[in-house]
Amino acid sequence: MDTETRRAASTLVLLAVLGTLVRLVMAGPAPPGSVGYRAATAQRPTLDGTRARAEDAGRPLDAGERIDVNVADATQLMRLPRIGPGLAARIVAHRERHGRFASLDDLTKVPGIGSSVRDAVRPHVALPPGDAQSRSSGPAAVDVNRADAAALQTLPGIGPAKAQAILAARARLGRFRRVEDLLEVPGIGPATLGRLRRLVRIS
């Protein structure tokens, strides 16, 4: 192969490489039906994280503690009697598909939950205001020194952010010694405290 032929071949190879690089840089959205491949970036669960979730799921309920089935995740739901990983996952899936549970009886619409399971969890579930049991016996007072985020969110005006703020204030103070200590929580003022006063207790 003479010099000119080798030079022409080298030029063609170089142009082909440059063209490929330009296409990669300038590529727009993939055409419909094309398949793209992407390296997996999700991290695998760590052993410590798995152990912590298992310990949380196995932690017994405190006296008077209730879990709101409309906000609790699967790990929290597994703390309820007779609720294992499968039923907990079904409760979350049913809630995401059909919306909030309007009453405790709505739990029986979840596959695998019958009246016996419903009755077993009844004393430990935070009931929505329209439920017959909540009308007859009134809501259970939430112990703000023992309640977790899910239980705190059953209180009026307490969403995820304020629930975490209560937990942070409790950790900072050691414990709440009186209901008025809730005023130390950012976002809780006298008006909110007035709504909470009859719904919380201090242990």
Side-chain angles (χ1 to χ4, degrees):
M1 184 181 293
D2 58 26
T3 303
E4 288 189 9
T5 303
R6 284 197 299 270
R7 186 177 302 150
S10 299
T11 301
L12 287 174
V13 170
L14 180 61
L15 288 173
V17 170
L18 289 174
T20 301
L21 290 174
V22 168
R23 282 197 301 274
L24 289 174
V25 172
M26 303 292 291
S34 63
V35 177
Y37 296 92
R38 180 178 301 170
T41 57
Q43 294 182 347
R44 292 183 177 181
T46 63
L47 181 60
D48 288 342
T50 303
R51 183 183 296 118
R53 285 193 297 274
E55 289 175 354
D56 192 32
R59 184 165 52 91
L61 292 168
D62 294 322
E65 182 182 358
R66 292 182 176 228
I67 290 179
D68 187 341
V69 293
N70 283 319
V71 297
D73 61 16
T75 301
Q76 286 294 313
L77 290 169
M78 287 166 59
R79 299 177 62 209
L80 292 168
R82 299 183 61 182
I83 302 296
L87 281 181
R90 286 181 210 153
I91 292 171
V92 173
H94 188 279
R95 186 178 70 202
E96 290 175 351
R97 190 176 303 116
H98 301 287
R100 296 171 63 87
F101 297 102
S103 70
L104 189 60
D105 286 337
D106 281 351
L107 277 179
T108 59
K109 297 176 182 177
V110 177
I113 296 184
S115 58
S116 62
V117 175
R118 177 203 60 197
D119 293 341
V121 303
R122 184 183 295 276
H124 310 288
V125 168
L127 301 173
D131 187 87
Q133 180 170 323
S134 66
R135 289 196 301 269
S136 62
S137 61
V142 174
D143 186 339
V144 292
N145 278 323
R146 295 177 177 270
D148 59 12
L152 291 170
Q153 288 176 60
T154 65
L155 295 167
I158 304 298
K162 282 188 183 176
Q164 290 300 324
I166 291 173
L167 295 178
R170 187 173 76 194
R172 187 178 71 250
L173 297 172
R175 61 183 293 275
F176 297 109
R177 301 184 183 282
R178 55 195 187 117
V179 175
E180 287 75 16
D181 286 348
L182 287 172
L183 294 173
E184 298 286 333
V185 178
I188 294 184
T192 301
L193 181 66
R195 291 195 298 271
L196 297 177
R197 189 179 293 276
R198 291 186 297 174
L199 302 175
V200 300
R201 63 188 179 89
I202 304 295
S203 62

